[in-house]
Amino acid sequence: MKTRPAPTKSTRRSGSTRVLFLTAAIAAAALLIAMIVSDWAVMPGAPSVPWWVLIPAVYLSEITVVHFRGKRDAHSFSMSEIPLIFGLFFFAPAHMMLSVLIGSTLVLSIHRRQPLLKLLFNVSQFTLVFGMAIVVFRSIARLGEPLGIAGWAGALIAALAALTTAMFLVNLAIFLVSGSFRRPGLSEVIGLSTLATLMSSSLALIAVTMTQLAPGMAFLAMIPPAILFLSYRAYMSQREQRTRLESLYDATRVLHQTPEIEQAMLVAADRARAMFAAEFAEITLFIDDSHNAAYRTRVGPADGELQMKLIPLDHERPVWHEIASTRASRLFDKDDEAFTRMGDCPSIREGIATPLFVDEAVGGILLVANKLDDVSSYKPRDIKLLETFARQVAVSLENGKLVDSLASLTILKEELKYQALHDSLTGLANRANFTARVNDALSNLEEGASAAVMFLDLDDFKSVNDGLGHAAGDQLLIGVAERLQGECRSDDTIARIGGDEFAILIPSTRDTTAPVGLASRMIDSLELPFLIDGHQILSRASIGIALSTPDDGPGELLSNADAAMYAAKHQGKGTYRQYEDAMHDEVTKTLELRTSLQSALQLNQLELHYQPIVDTTTGAITRFEALMRWNHPALGTIQPNEFIPYAEESGLIVRLGRWALEKACTDARKWQLANPGSATGVAVNISPKQLSERDIVDEVRHALADSGLAADHLTLEITENVVMHTAVQKLEQLKSLGIHLAIDDFGTGYSSLSYLDRLPLDIVKIDRSFVEKLGKGETSLVRTVLTIGNSLGLGSIVEGVETREQLTRLRELGCRHVQGFYLSPAVSIDEAIEMAPRRMIEPLEYSNTVRQLRTG
């Protein structure tokens, strides 16, 4: 299967935007000309004719068109020069431009039903072209008699100027959309357009002269243009029919000479597209009589190409099944609801679909859609031609190509079935497969047994994707899948049901503790680091467990496992929870928080509190750590561990992080200005998503510049796992600003000391879990971590100090900086300003002196 993509939505959108700007410029130019000619009078000697007569004349001239089709474009020639010439001689310029504006709007919207942007463009360019013709004509005609050589020359030159301007603007619009001026047959179109313009303009001039000299005989001047128009139209119709027959013969010859079915179908689609001047053509070959899956070959839109792609038809146009059952062709337009687009199929304005008969059965469908021009549509006679071509395609299939390819098609069919039930990355069952197996398990349960479903979600998986890239993330998912398979029995089903979500089914168990034991083993297994691209990656998981009851269906069991998994995440990640009825209330609360978090920033419900970090030797505050709080109007103060995970999942964390950085810098400058000479800085946590943003360095630079805070008074705190997944270059760019970088939660991950030594870090923040062990007399771990920090030349901050005993032990171990509730909880900005100059504890030298006096 080969594909060549059509222009993307973003490409088409940018092209449309450029055309919109061009349309606005054309409309502005037309308005400027209208203002210039608004007070110009009718030409001398012109008969009195109501100005609105020109409106139906413009309308009629645009519906009496002759079509010329090239290989990829359709061109239409109208008799618009006739109302143009009459307008130049017999109507005031302002009335003339108003008439063309109204007439062209009516014909393009009612008769041609053009899309809005195309309608606006064409109406604007029609009006501008008539305005320019007026200016050119008046400039030349005033050199002599209006009905003399000057007037005739002025009218012909004005008509040619109008033609040139119109063709330039149309081709400019095409260039803005497609990016190319190369249009096959353009020179031929220019020649025919010039000839047609001169002929119709000359006949119009004769009619103008007769109207002036013998008004009663003026109608005779319209006979030659009418005869010319009908003759040329008949000629073009015959020419088109002959061209189609030649194309049919040529396509049939090439089709039967093509040895492979894949190439034959591509040739057939390409020739059908050209033969019917269609935007795209496609051939759908059914795999079997069920018509639920097929091989799709498509040429177009634009240069897009699809070759023998295996597709399920359940999400396609449902009318395919109708055509296959009725065995009849269908002519349709955009109002035909049976052809509503589904999936990623190109949209259809109009088209023809006809069945392909292979061995007297419907083996597929041939479709041509969307005529390249918007002034004509497919007719019943087109159906006959397409059916004739479809028979040639079917003959090509019957002559052995389809049979010869049955082996490969059968393999592809089995591949489709496998892909429909399995995850392409890990090879595990997918959601549909898993749901079906849950249903089977519940249907076959013996009395006294239960089925168990477990939902597993990887914690902080986004930090791997954002820091090391999606390839590393994919390798991690594969590794997780392998470890889960190593913990499960052969009867269990493991599935990947989302990006970083897995599900496990124990089809039958009488031991209700078995799922809990399996969850515990899986968590332990995943805690061992993964080695990916030279990086040691730690992966934790939250697991929800649900046991079936006699009344549970698949939907309830899956929903209960999902609720339990969210409860496990809320509990603190890296753990499991078994379903309880109250958990659905927790899920409801979670959804409400996610929804209201979107507007919390706009409603000023978020604020920063500041917890002091204290120097143990002097007792002074060296910096405050900024901690976010959410003042919810109904739920009160919400701590960051309750809402930050939702912000990370939704991507809102980038906006929140940017706001926190800017406000923290501003607040830090406030307490410095309130306490002259103060150098108390601020520490701000940076999320994995925020750190992965390309403009994070610029954001930090702007926050410092806007607040006036010195760079060395700002510390960015990054968790250990995120640091390990972040490119050294990004950290060096941040460090070059003059700020400090701290590694947060140090000691909880699996950092490589050699890798940390290469990073531009200044500070390690030792996790509170080490401090908790101090109360039990265990100082070796804290001493080891402090020693590691010192060996790397990094300052150390210990967080989570909650007792005087812990503070004393840390001082004895030589820890320089601490923070925690014993010293102070996080406080508001006003309290931080008042607290900044204080000494939070007695200096170490004073404390040692007091101790010596007491012992002496």
Side-chain angles (χ1 to χ4, degrees), residues 90 198 238 254 282 343 347 423 441 513 534 537 663 674 743 766 810:
F90 296 154
L198 290 173
Q238 291 295 322
V254 174
E282 65 182 33
S347 59
D423 173 53
T513 64
I537 297 178
K663 180 163 177 55
I743 179 171
I766 300 173
L810 289 170

Side-chain angles (χ1 to χ4, degrees), residues 502-797:
F502 296 83
I504 298 92
L505 167 66
I506 302 176
S508 178
T509 181
R510 296 180 185 274
D511 180 5
T512 57
T513 64
V516 173
L518 176 59
S520 179
R521 293 195 304 273
M522 288 191 296
I523 288 176
D524 291 342
S525 173
L526 295 179
E527 283 187 347
L528 296 175
F530 293 82
L531 184 61
I532 297 176
D533 294 337
H535 298 275
Q536 285 190 331
I537 297 178
L538 176 68
S539 178
R540 299 186 302 170
S542 300
I543 302 177
I545 307 168
L547 286 167
S548 67
T549 66
D551 297 329
D552 283 342
E556 290 82 2
L557 189 57
L558 296 174
S559 176
N560 293 345
D562 193 37
M565 185 267 290
Y566 274 104
K569 273 192 173 296
H570 186 72
Q571 183 172 307
K573 303 181 180 181
T575 186
Y576 61 84
R577 288 284 301 274
Q578 191 162 342
Y579 173 74
E580 301 170 4
D581 290 338
M583 287 180 177
H584 276 298
D585 294 334
E586 293 183 28
V587 173
T588 301
K589 178 184 176 182
T590 296
L591 294 176
E592 291 175 352
L593 284 178
R594 287 182 175 180
T595 302
S596 54
L597 183 59
Q598 298 287 336
S599 57
L601 192 57
Q602 288 82 359
L603 297 176
N604 295 319
Q605 294 174 359
L606 299 176
E607 64 179 359
L608 293 182
H609 282 204
Y610 298 93
Q611 187 173 37
I613 297 173
V614 178
D615 187 326
T616 59
T617 60
T618 66
I621 299 173
T622 58
R623 59 176 63 84
F624 287 93
E625 180 181 2
L627 301 170
M628 196 177 297
R629 299 288 186 269
W630 180 7
N631 296 319
H632 194 282
L635 301 176
T637 301
I638 302 176
Q639 299 300 318
N641 63 309
E642 296 185 64
F643 66 87
I644 290 299
Y646 309 143
E648 290 175 341
E649 290 176 11
S650 64
L652 188 63
I653 190 66
V654 175
R655 288 176 52 203
L656 296 185
R658 186 184 304 118
W659 170 82
L661 175 65
E662 294 171 353
K663 180 163 177 55
C665 290
T666 301
D667 287 350
R669 190 59 183 147
K670 286 181 181 178
W671 64 60
Q672 291 181 353
L673 293 174
N675 301 283
S678 170
T680 304
V682 68
V684 183
N685 291 279
I686 297 294
S687 71
K689 186 69 175 176
Q690 191 178 5
L691 189 61
S692 68
E693 292 289 302
R694 289 187 298 180
D695 56 354
I696 179 63
V697 178
D698 290 334
E699 287 183 9
V700 175
R701 182 185 293 111
H702 292 153
L704 291 170
D706 293 344
S707 64
L709 183 69
D712 61 346
H713 291 167
L714 173 64
T715 302
L716 297 184
E717 296 187 4
I718 310 167
T719 61
E720 182 177 3
N721 283 332
V722 174
V723 165
M724 297 302 295
H725 302 153
T726 302
V728 176
Q729 183 181 7
K730 176 71 71 66
L731 297 175
E732 289 176 340
Q733 289 174 345
L734 287 169
K735 192 69 176 66
S736 67
L737 298 177
I739 65 173
H740 299 293
L741 294 178
I743 179 171
D744 201 7
D745 298 335
F746 184 69
T748 60
Y750 289 83
S751 305
S752 165
L753 294 182
S754 61
Y755 183 72
L756 284 176
D757 191 35
R758 298 199 304 268
L759 298 178
L761 301 174
D762 303 288
I763 302 167
V764 292
K765 292 195 71 175
I766 300 173
D767 187 68
R768 66 179 63 247
S769 60
F770 293 94
V771 181
E772 293 171 356
K773 296 181 174 63
L774 287 176
K776 303 175 183 178
E778 299 179 12
T779 61
S780 58
L781 282 175
V782 176
R783 180 182 289 108
T784 299
V785 177
L786 286 171
T787 301
I788 292 174
N790 291 334
S791 68
L792 295 173
L794 305 177
S796 299
I797 300 174

Side-chain angles (χ1 to χ4, degrees), residues 159-340:
L160 290 173
L163 171 67
T164 304
T165 304
M167 295 195 72
F168 171 76
L169 292 176
V170 170
N171 281 277
L172 178 59
I174 293 172
F175 169 74
L176 293 177
V177 173
S178 65
S180 174
F181 264 128
R182 293 176 297 176
R183 301 182 68 193
L186 182 59
S187 58
E188 184 180 2
V189 173
I190 293 175
L192 289 173
S193 300
T194 304
L195 181 61
T197 297
L198 290 173
M199 291 178 63
S200 56
S201 298
S202 299
L203 292 171
L205 284 171
I206 294 172
V208 166
T209 304
M210 292 184 66
T211 301
Q212 285 278 37
L213 300 178
M217 304 296 292
F219 72 94
L220 294 176
M222 302 307 298
I223 296 177
I227 294 175
L228 177 64
F229 167 75
L230 293 175
S231 300
Y232 193 63
R233 194 169 191 175
Y235 163 74
M236 291 304 297
S237 177
Q238 291 295 322
R239 184 179 185 272
E240 179 182 355
Q241 191 69 11
R242 186 177 67 252
T243 301
R244 282 188 169 186
L245 291 175
E246 291 174 353
S247 299
L248 177 61
Y249 169 77
D250 182 60
T252 302
R253 178 182 55 80
V254 174
L255 191 61
H256 291 302
Q257 291 176 352
T258 306
E260 299 295 334
I261 185 174
E262 293 85 356
Q263 190 62 28
M265 293 303 97
L266 196 63
V267 168
D270 183 63
R271 296 308 171 96
R273 180 193 184 195
M275 197 182 311
F276 288 87
E279 183 184 19
F280 72 92
E282 65 182 33
I283 297 174
T284 303
L285 297 180
F286 300 127
I287 286 181
D288 51 34
D289 293 338
S290 68
H291 303 153
N292 290 325
Y295 297 97
R296 166 72 47 74
T297 296
R298 180 192 301 134
V299 177
D303 293 328
E305 186 178 288
L306 194 70
Q307 185 173 348
M308 293 297 282
K309 181 181 180 182
L310 192 59
I311 57 168
L313 289 183
D314 291 341
H315 301 294
E316 288 279 340
R317 302 179 180 99
V319 77
W320 283 182
H321 299 279
E322 176 189 330
I323 294 175
S325 60
T326 61
R327 302 166 64 90
S329 302
R330 281 284 300 271
L331 180 69
F332 53 92
D333 57 28
K334 65 180 180 180
D335 297 324
D336 193 333
E337 295 182 359
F339 281 84
T340 300

Side-chain angles (χ1 to χ4, degrees), residues 30 33-43 54 83-100 126-142 154-155 157-159 161-162 165:
I33 292 178
M35 294 172 63
I36 294 173
V37 304
S38 61
D39 56 350
W40 291 6
V42 183
M43 293 294 289
L54 203 56
L84 171 65
I85 299 299
F86 269 86
L88 293 175
F89 282 93
F90 296 154
F91 293 89
H95 290 161
M96 185 177 171
M97 294 187 70
L98 180 61
S99 298
V100 74
F126 282 170
T127 308
L128 175 63
V129 162
F130 267 60
M132 292 186 64
I134 292 170
V135 174
V136 171
F137 171 72
R138 289 294 182 102
S139 300
I140 298 175
R142 65 187 180 88
I157 294 173
T165 304

